[in-house]
Amino acid sequence: HAADIPTINAEKAKKVARYQVVYNDRVAPLNTVATDFLQKIYGRHSYKGLSAEQVLYGWIARPEVWKSQHFIQIKHAPLRKRLGITSEYAAMEELFSADGKYKLMPMVHEEQKHDAMGKAIRELDEKAGLILMLTSNTLFTPIAPSSPHLSDACVEAEIVYNKIPATKILFIVNLAMGFFSFFLFMANISFERWQRARRIAQVASVGVFGASFTFALLVYALRWYVGGRVPLSNGYETMLLMAILLMAITLTMHRRFPYLLPFGFLLSGFTLLVSHLGSMNPQITPLMPVLHSPLLSIHVSVIMAAYALLALMAIQGAFALWLMREKSSEQRCALI
Protein backbone atom coordinates (compact mmCIF):
# COMPACT_ATOMS: atom_id res chain seq x y z
CA HIS A 1 0.00 0.00 0.00
CA ALA A 2 1.10 3.58 -0.70
CA ALA A 3 0.67 4.50 2.98
CA ASP A 4 3.41 2.03 3.91
CA ILE A 5 5.95 3.51 1.49
CA PRO A 6 8.07 6.38 2.87
CA THR A 7 7.82 9.58 0.83
CA ILE A 8 6.53 13.15 0.99
CA ASN A 9 2.82 13.96 1.10
CA ALA A 10 0.83 15.00 -1.95
CA GLU A 11 0.71 18.69 -1.00
CA LYS A 12 4.47 18.85 -0.65
CA ALA A 13 4.87 16.98 -3.94
CA LYS A 14 2.91 19.68 -5.78
CA LYS A 15 5.28 22.32 -4.46
CA VAL A 16 8.51 20.48 -5.23
CA ALA A 17 7.27 19.79 -8.77
CA ARG A 18 8.11 23.42 -9.55
CA TYR A 19 11.63 23.34 -8.13
CA GLN A 20 14.14 24.12 -10.86
CA VAL A 21 17.10 21.80 -11.43
CA VAL A 22 19.77 21.17 -14.04
CA TYR A 23 18.73 18.07 -15.96
CA ASN A 24 19.85 16.84 -19.37
CA ASP A 25 22.08 19.89 -19.77
CA ARG A 26 19.22 22.34 -19.30
CA VAL A 27 17.19 23.96 -16.55
CA ALA A 28 13.91 22.13 -15.99
CA PRO A 29 11.26 21.78 -13.29
CA LEU A 30 11.66 18.77 -11.04
CA ASN A 31 8.34 17.53 -12.42
CA THR A 32 10.08 16.71 -15.70
CA VAL A 33 12.80 14.68 -13.97
CA ALA A 34 10.25 12.79 -11.91
CA THR A 35 7.92 12.15 -14.85
CA ASP A 36 10.73 10.84 -17.05
CA PHE A 37 12.15 8.71 -14.23
CA LEU A 38 8.84 7.05 -13.43
CA GLN A 39 7.84 6.53 -17.07
CA LYS A 40 11.25 5.17 -18.00
CA ILE A 41 11.54 2.64 -15.19
CA TYR A 42 7.99 1.78 -14.17
CA GLY A 43 6.26 2.45 -17.50
CA ARG A 44 3.38 4.43 -16.00
CA HIS A 45 2.62 7.90 -14.69
CA SER A 46 1.97 6.88 -11.08
CA TYR A 47 3.02 4.12 -8.68
CA LYS A 48 0.48 2.71 -6.24
CA GLY A 49 -1.33 6.04 -6.21
CA LEU A 50 1.85 8.04 -5.66
CA SER A 51 2.77 10.88 -8.00
CA ALA A 52 6.04 11.01 -9.89
CA GLU A 53 7.48 13.54 -7.42
CA GLN A 54 6.57 11.33 -4.46
CA VAL A 55 8.31 8.38 -6.09
CA LEU A 56 11.41 10.44 -6.85
CA TYR A 57 11.70 11.79 -3.32
CA GLY A 58 11.05 8.36 -1.86
CA TRP A 59 14.00 6.91 -3.74
CA ILE A 60 16.23 9.81 -2.71
CA ALA A 61 15.28 9.78 0.98
CA ARG A 62 14.79 6.06 1.67
CA PRO A 63 16.45 3.94 -1.02
CA GLU A 64 16.88 1.05 1.42
CA VAL A 65 13.09 0.73 1.57
CA TRP A 66 12.35 1.43 -2.08
CA LYS A 67 14.85 -1.14 -3.33
CA SER A 68 12.45 -3.86 -2.18
CA GLN A 69 9.54 -2.39 -4.18
CA HIS A 70 8.65 -4.17 -7.42
CA PHE A 71 9.24 -1.04 -9.41
CA ILE A 72 11.40 -1.94 -12.42
CA GLN A 73 9.43 -3.09 -15.44
CA ILE A 74 10.91 -6.03 -17.37
CA LYS A 75 8.76 -6.76 -20.41
CA HIS A 76 10.98 -9.50 -21.83
CA ALA A 77 9.78 -12.80 -20.31
CA PRO A 78 12.93 -14.83 -21.21
CA LEU A 79 15.08 -12.29 -19.36
CA ARG A 80 12.82 -12.48 -16.32
CA LYS A 81 13.14 -16.25 -16.39
CA ARG A 82 16.91 -16.00 -16.71
CA LEU A 83 17.05 -13.72 -13.67
CA GLY A 84 14.64 -15.87 -11.67
CA ILE A 85 12.00 -13.12 -11.53
CA THR A 86 8.40 -14.28 -11.75
CA SER A 87 6.46 -11.03 -12.24
CA GLU A 88 6.66 -8.26 -14.83
CA TYR A 89 8.08 -5.88 -12.23
CA ALA A 90 11.30 -6.52 -10.35
CA ALA A 91 12.71 -5.01 -7.20
CA MET A 92 16.12 -3.36 -7.34
CA GLU A 93 17.44 -5.83 -4.78
CA GLU A 94 16.50 -8.72 -7.08
CA LEU A 95 19.13 -7.54 -9.55
CA PHE A 96 21.87 -8.27 -7.03
CA SER A 97 22.96 -11.61 -5.61
CA ALA A 98 23.20 -12.39 -1.90
CA ASP A 99 26.88 -11.42 -1.89
CA GLY A 100 26.12 -8.06 -3.53
CA LYS A 101 27.18 -8.88 -7.09
CA TYR A 102 25.29 -7.25 -9.93
CA LYS A 103 23.54 -10.04 -11.84
CA LEU A 104 23.46 -8.16 -15.13
CA MET A 105 27.19 -7.50 -15.28
CA PRO A 106 28.18 -10.78 -16.98
CA MET A 107 25.09 -10.61 -19.19
CA VAL A 108 25.95 -7.13 -20.46
CA HIS A 109 29.40 -8.34 -21.52
CA GLU A 110 28.09 -11.56 -23.03
CA GLU A 111 25.03 -10.27 -24.88
CA GLN A 112 26.37 -7.85 -27.48
CA LYS A 113 23.92 -8.91 -30.16
CA HIS A 114 21.10 -6.66 -31.31
CA ASP A 115 18.47 -9.32 -30.71
CA ALA A 116 15.52 -9.17 -28.32
CA MET A 117 17.49 -10.57 -25.38
CA GLY A 118 20.42 -8.21 -25.87
CA LYS A 119 18.10 -5.22 -26.14
CA ALA A 120 16.19 -6.24 -23.01
CA ILE A 121 19.42 -6.63 -21.04
CA ARG A 122 20.66 -3.20 -22.10
CA GLU A 123 17.33 -1.58 -21.24
CA LEU A 124 17.25 -3.18 -17.80
CA ASP A 125 20.87 -2.22 -17.18
CA GLU A 126 20.00 1.37 -18.12
CA LYS A 127 17.09 1.40 -15.68
CA ALA A 128 19.24 0.09 -12.85
CA GLY A 129 21.89 2.66 -13.71
CA LEU A 130 19.38 5.50 -13.55
CA ILE A 131 18.25 4.43 -10.09
CA LEU A 132 21.87 4.36 -8.94
CA MET A 133 22.41 7.81 -10.46
CA LEU A 134 19.39 9.13 -8.58
CA THR A 135 20.41 7.66 -5.23
CA SER A 136 23.96 8.96 -5.68
CA ASN A 137 22.66 12.46 -6.53
CA THR A 138 24.05 12.55 -10.07
CA LEU A 139 20.84 12.30 -12.11
CA PHE A 140 20.17 16.01 -11.64
CA THR A 141 21.64 18.89 -9.68
CA PRO A 142 19.94 21.78 -7.90
CA ILE A 143 20.25 25.05 -9.76
CA ALA A 144 22.60 27.59 -8.24
CA PRO A 145 20.97 30.82 -6.99
CA SER A 146 23.16 32.86 -9.33
CA SER A 147 22.29 30.77 -12.39
CA PRO A 148 19.57 31.78 -14.87
CA HIS A 149 16.14 30.51 -13.87
CA LEU A 150 13.13 29.67 -15.97
CA SER A 151 10.21 32.04 -15.88
CA ASP A 152 7.12 30.97 -13.96
CA ALA A 153 5.23 30.78 -17.26
CA CYS A 154 7.81 28.40 -18.71
CA VAL A 155 7.68 26.18 -15.63
CA GLU A 156 3.89 26.01 -15.72
CA ALA A 157 3.95 25.32 -19.46
CA GLU A 158 6.33 22.40 -19.00
CA ILE A 159 4.26 20.91 -16.19
CA VAL A 160 1.12 21.17 -18.32
CA TYR A 161 2.96 19.57 -21.23
CA ASN A 162 4.09 16.68 -19.02
CA LYS A 163 0.51 16.02 -17.91
CA ILE A 164 -1.11 15.91 -21.35
CA PRO A 165 -0.90 12.52 -23.14
CA ALA A 166 -0.95 14.38 -26.44
CA THR A 167 0.25 11.71 -28.85
CA LYS A 168 -2.02 9.11 -27.26
CA ILE A 169 -5.07 11.32 -27.80
CA LEU A 170 -4.00 12.19 -31.32
CA PHE A 171 -3.28 8.68 -32.57
CA ILE A 172 -6.55 7.34 -31.15
CA VAL A 173 -8.58 10.12 -32.79
CA ASN A 174 -6.77 9.94 -36.12
CA LEU A 175 -6.89 6.17 -36.42
CA ALA A 176 -10.55 6.02 -35.40
CA MET A 177 -11.49 8.75 -37.87
CA GLY A 178 -9.28 7.18 -40.51
CA PHE A 179 -11.01 3.81 -40.38
CA PHE A 180 -14.43 5.47 -40.18
CA SER A 181 -13.87 7.79 -43.14
CA PHE A 182 -12.26 5.00 -45.16
CA PHE A 183 -15.29 2.78 -44.52
CA LEU A 184 -17.64 5.53 -45.69
CA PHE A 185 -15.53 6.21 -48.74
CA MET A 186 -15.45 2.54 -49.76
CA ALA A 187 -19.17 2.23 -49.09
CA ASN A 188 -19.78 5.20 -51.35
CA ILE A 189 -17.84 3.45 -54.11
CA SER A 190 -20.09 0.41 -53.82
CA PHE A 191 -23.36 2.22 -53.11
CA GLU A 192 -23.77 5.41 -55.11
CA ARG A 193 -26.86 6.43 -53.14
CA TRP A 194 -24.51 7.25 -50.25
CA GLN A 195 -23.41 10.45 -51.99
CA ARG A 196 -25.09 12.73 -49.47
CA ALA A 197 -23.71 10.79 -46.52
CA ARG A 198 -20.29 11.02 -48.08
CA ARG A 199 -20.50 14.81 -48.35
CA ILE A 200 -21.61 15.17 -44.73
CA ALA A 201 -18.87 12.82 -43.56
CA GLN A 202 -16.34 14.72 -45.67
CA VAL A 203 -17.17 18.03 -44.02
CA ALA A 204 -17.10 16.48 -40.54
CA SER A 205 -13.83 14.68 -41.26
CA VAL A 206 -12.16 17.85 -42.48
CA GLY A 207 -13.23 19.62 -39.29
CA VAL A 208 -11.85 16.87 -37.06
CA PHE A 209 -8.69 16.66 -39.14
CA GLY A 210 -8.15 20.40 -38.85
CA ALA A 211 -8.64 20.27 -35.09
CA SER A 212 -6.23 17.35 -34.80
CA PHE A 213 -3.63 19.19 -36.88
CA THR A 214 -3.99 22.35 -34.78
CA PHE A 215 -3.64 20.39 -31.54
CA ALA A 216 -0.56 18.54 -32.82
CA LEU A 217 0.99 21.81 -33.95
CA LEU A 218 0.36 23.40 -30.55
CA VAL A 219 1.88 20.40 -28.77
CA TYR A 220 4.97 20.59 -30.97
CA ALA A 221 5.27 24.34 -30.41
CA LEU A 222 4.89 23.85 -26.65
CA ARG A 223 7.65 21.23 -26.64
CA TRP A 224 9.85 23.64 -28.61
CA TYR A 225 9.11 26.41 -26.11
CA VAL A 226 9.81 24.41 -22.95
CA GLY A 227 12.84 22.62 -24.41
CA GLY A 228 14.48 25.73 -25.80
CA ARG A 229 15.49 23.91 -28.99
CA VAL A 230 13.99 22.52 -32.17
CA PRO A 231 12.38 19.21 -31.12
CA LEU A 232 14.11 16.85 -33.53
CA SER A 233 16.54 14.97 -31.31
CA ASN A 234 14.79 11.61 -30.88
CA GLY A 235 12.26 9.26 -32.41
CA TYR A 236 9.31 10.72 -30.54
CA GLU A 237 9.97 14.24 -31.80
CA THR A 238 10.78 13.33 -35.40
CA MET A 239 7.71 11.11 -35.76
CA LEU A 240 5.55 13.86 -34.27
CA LEU A 241 6.94 16.26 -36.86
CA MET A 242 6.29 13.75 -39.63
CA ALA A 243 2.68 13.37 -38.50
CA ILE A 244 2.25 17.15 -38.55
CA LEU A 245 3.69 17.31 -42.06
CA LEU A 246 1.41 14.50 -43.21
CA MET A 247 -1.61 16.35 -41.87
CA ALA A 248 -0.47 19.66 -43.39
CA ILE A 249 -0.04 18.08 -46.83
CA THR A 250 -3.40 16.33 -46.57
CA LEU A 251 -5.19 19.54 -45.61
CA THR A 252 -3.54 21.33 -48.51
CA MET A 253 -4.43 18.71 -51.12
CA HIS A 254 -7.72 17.22 -49.94
CA ARG A 255 -9.87 19.56 -52.06
CA ARG A 256 -8.18 18.36 -55.21
CA PHE A 257 -8.03 14.74 -54.07
CA PRO A 258 -10.96 14.07 -51.67
CA TYR A 259 -10.02 10.43 -51.21
CA LEU A 260 -6.71 11.57 -49.68
CA LEU A 261 -8.39 12.44 -46.37
CA PRO A 262 -8.90 8.86 -45.05
CA PHE A 263 -5.33 7.99 -45.96
CA GLY A 264 -4.07 11.17 -44.28
CA PHE A 265 -5.91 10.19 -41.12
CA LEU A 266 -4.53 6.66 -41.18
CA LEU A 267 -0.93 7.53 -42.04
CA SER A 268 -0.72 10.31 -39.47
CA GLY A 269 -2.44 8.07 -36.91
CA PHE A 270 0.08 5.27 -37.32
CA THR A 271 2.93 7.80 -37.26
CA LEU A 272 1.57 9.26 -34.03
CA LEU A 273 1.28 5.74 -32.61
CA VAL A 274 5.00 5.24 -33.24
CA SER A 275 5.67 8.63 -31.67
CA HIS A 276 3.61 7.64 -28.62
CA LEU A 277 5.58 4.43 -28.23
CA GLY A 278 8.74 6.53 -28.31
CA SER A 279 7.44 8.79 -25.55
CA MET A 280 7.03 5.75 -23.29
CA ASN A 281 10.83 5.38 -23.25
CA PRO A 282 12.00 8.97 -22.64
CA GLN A 283 15.55 10.18 -23.18
CA ILE A 284 17.01 10.76 -19.72
CA THR A 285 20.75 10.80 -20.31
CA PRO A 286 22.20 14.02 -21.85
CA LEU A 287 21.97 14.51 -25.62
CA MET A 288 25.01 14.07 -27.80
CA PRO A 289 26.44 17.47 -28.91
CA VAL A 290 25.65 16.76 -32.56
CA LEU A 291 21.93 16.62 -31.72
CA HIS A 292 22.02 20.30 -30.75
CA SER A 293 23.18 21.34 -34.23
CA PRO A 294 20.75 23.56 -36.21
CA LEU A 295 22.02 21.93 -39.40
CA LEU A 296 20.81 18.57 -38.11
CA SER A 297 17.39 20.10 -37.47
CA ILE A 298 17.19 21.30 -41.07
CA HIS A 299 18.42 17.93 -42.32
CA VAL A 300 15.84 15.97 -40.33
CA SER A 301 13.01 18.37 -41.26
CA VAL A 302 13.69 17.98 -44.97
CA ILE A 303 13.88 14.20 -44.69
CA MET A 304 10.63 14.00 -42.70
CA ALA A 305 8.86 16.19 -45.26
CA ALA A 306 10.13 13.93 -48.04
CA TYR A 307 8.94 10.82 -46.21
CA ALA A 308 5.53 12.39 -45.64
CA LEU A 309 5.15 13.21 -49.34
CA LEU A 310 6.42 9.79 -50.37
CA ALA A 311 3.99 8.00 -48.08
CA LEU A 312 0.99 9.97 -49.31
CA MET A 313 1.94 9.68 -52.96
CA ALA A 314 2.60 5.95 -52.65
CA ILE A 315 -0.76 5.19 -51.09
CA GLN A 316 -2.48 7.53 -53.53
CA GLY A 317 -0.80 5.77 -56.45
CA ALA A 318 -1.83 2.36 -55.16
CA PHE A 319 -5.41 3.55 -54.80
CA ALA A 320 -5.38 4.99 -58.33
CA LEU A 321 -4.18 1.67 -59.73
CA TRP A 322 -7.00 -0.10 -57.90
CA LEU A 323 -9.52 2.35 -59.34
CA MET A 324 -8.24 1.82 -62.87
CA ARG A 325 -8.65 -1.90 -62.49
CA GLU A 326 -11.98 -2.07 -60.70
CA LYS A 327 -14.00 0.93 -61.91
CA SER A 328 -15.14 2.41 -65.19
CA SER A 329 -13.86 5.79 -66.37
CA GLU A 330 -17.17 7.46 -65.38
CA GLN A 331 -16.98 6.05 -61.86
CA ARG A 332 -13.36 7.12 -61.51
CA CYS A 333 -14.19 10.67 -62.52
CA ALA A 334 -17.06 10.77 -60.03
CA LEU A 335 -14.76 9.73 -57.21
CA ILE A 336 -12.01 12.23 -57.93
Side-chain angles (χ1 to χ4, degrees):
H1 298 286
D4 301 328
I5 306 174
T7 186
I8 56 177
N9 59 48
E11 193 65 30
K12 177 68 173 177
K14 291 180 181 179
K15 294 180 180 179
V16 302
R18 289 162 174 77
Y19 289 175
Q20 297 185 31
V21 297
V22 178
Y23 168 65
N24 262 356
D25 294 330
R26 72 179 186 92
V27 178
L30 192 65
N31 172 261
T32 296
V33 184
T35 301
D36 286 354
F37 179 78
L38 184 58
Q39 180 65 52
K40 179 84 172 182
I41 298 176
Y42 188 60
R44 299 183 183 181
H45 294 291
S46 65
Y47 175 74
K48 295 184 177 180
L50 298 176
S51 68
E53 292 81 12
Q54 289 176 298
V55 171
L56 193 77
Y57 262 74
W59 270 105
I60 294 172
R62 298 292 299 277
E64 73 281 359
V65 177
W66 276 82
K67 69 179 183 180
S68 63
Q69 294 292 316
H70 289 80
F71 178 70
I72 306 173
Q73 186 181 36
I74 307 176
K75 296 180 180 180
H76 196 60
L79 177 57
R80 295 200 301 265
K81 183 178 180 181
R82 188 171 173 180
L83 291 169
I85 297 170
T86 56
S87 66
E88 183 182 352
Y89 293 90
M92 185 66 171
E93 62 185 10
E94 291 181 294
L95 302 183
F96 293 84
S97 61
D99 57 356
K101 292 183 178 179
Y102 184 44
K103 293 181 181 179
L104 287 178
M105 184 61 71
M107 297 184 189
V108 171
H109 292 298
E110 292 172 7
E111 296 287 348
Q112 297 296 330
K113 299 178 181 178
H114 294 283
D115 56 5
M117 177 62 78
K119 181 181 178 182
I121 290 172
R122 288 189 292 273
E123 287 181 353
L124 181 56
D125 180 58
E126 182 183 10
K127 292 179 180 182
L130 290 171
I131 292 175
L132 293 175
M133 288 175 65
L134 177 65
T135 55
S136 61
N137 299 319
T138 57
L139 182 60
F140 65 91
T141 55
I143 188 170
S146 58
S147 300
H149 284 61
L150 299 174
S151 65
D152 291 340
C154 190
V155 170
E156 291 300 326
E158 187 157 352
I159 291 175
V160 169
Y161 175 84
N162 291 336
K163 289 181 178 179
I164 300 174
T167 50
K168 183 177 181 179
I169 295 171
L170 285 167
F171 91 73
I172 290 175
V173 170
N174 282 24
L175 285 181
M177 285 300 300
F179 286 117
F180 174 72
S181 56
F182 184 74
F183 167 76
L184 285 181
F185 185 77
M186 296 304 293
N188 178 68
I189 293 176
S190 302
F191 307 102
E192 295 185 1
R193 64 178 180 273
W194 284 35
Q195 288 286 344
R196 184 179 178 184
R198 177 194 171 190
R199 286 194 294 270
I200 295 173
Q202 182 83 2
V203 173
S205 297
V206 170
V208 174
F209 200 85
S212 179
F213 170 72
T214 303
F215 182 51
L217 199 60
L218 289 173
V219 168
Y220 193 79
L222 184 59
R223 187 172 179 89
W224 191 335
Y225 172 66
V226 301
R229 57 173 176 79
V230 182
L232 289 171
S233 62
N234 53 47
Y236 164 76
E237 294 172 347
T238 53
M239 295 308 288
L240 178 58
L241 174 63
M242 184 173 177
I244 291 172
L245 292 171
L246 280 167
M247 289 189 280
I249 295 168
T250 302
L251 283 172
T252 303
M253 301 175 64
H254 83 276
R255 288 184 177 275
R256 175 64 183 87
F257 305 104
Y259 56 84
L260 197 60
L261 196 62
F263 299 134
F265 264 125
L266 290 172
L267 283 174
S268 62
F270 283 117
T271 306
L272 287 163
L273 173 59
V274 175
S275 179
H276 171 67
L277 294 175
S279 70
M280 297 176 69
N281 186 26
Q283 174 72 33
I284 289 185
T285 52
L287 294 174
M288 296 174 62
V290 68
L291 296 179
H292 291 283
S293 170
L295 293 177
L296 181 67
S297 300
I298 297 171
H299 170 74
V300 174
S301 300
V302 171
I303 289 178
M304 289 299 103
Y307 277 136
L309 280 169
L310 177 63
L312 283 173
M313 294 305 103
I315 199 166
Q316 183 175 317
F319 182 72
L321 289 173
W322 178 82
L323 279 180
M324 292 178 66
R325 178 179 177 181
E326 299 293 333
K327 301 297 177 182
S328 65
S329 59
E330 292 80 6
Q331 289 174 314
R332 291 198 297 269
C333 290
L335 288 171
I336 61 176

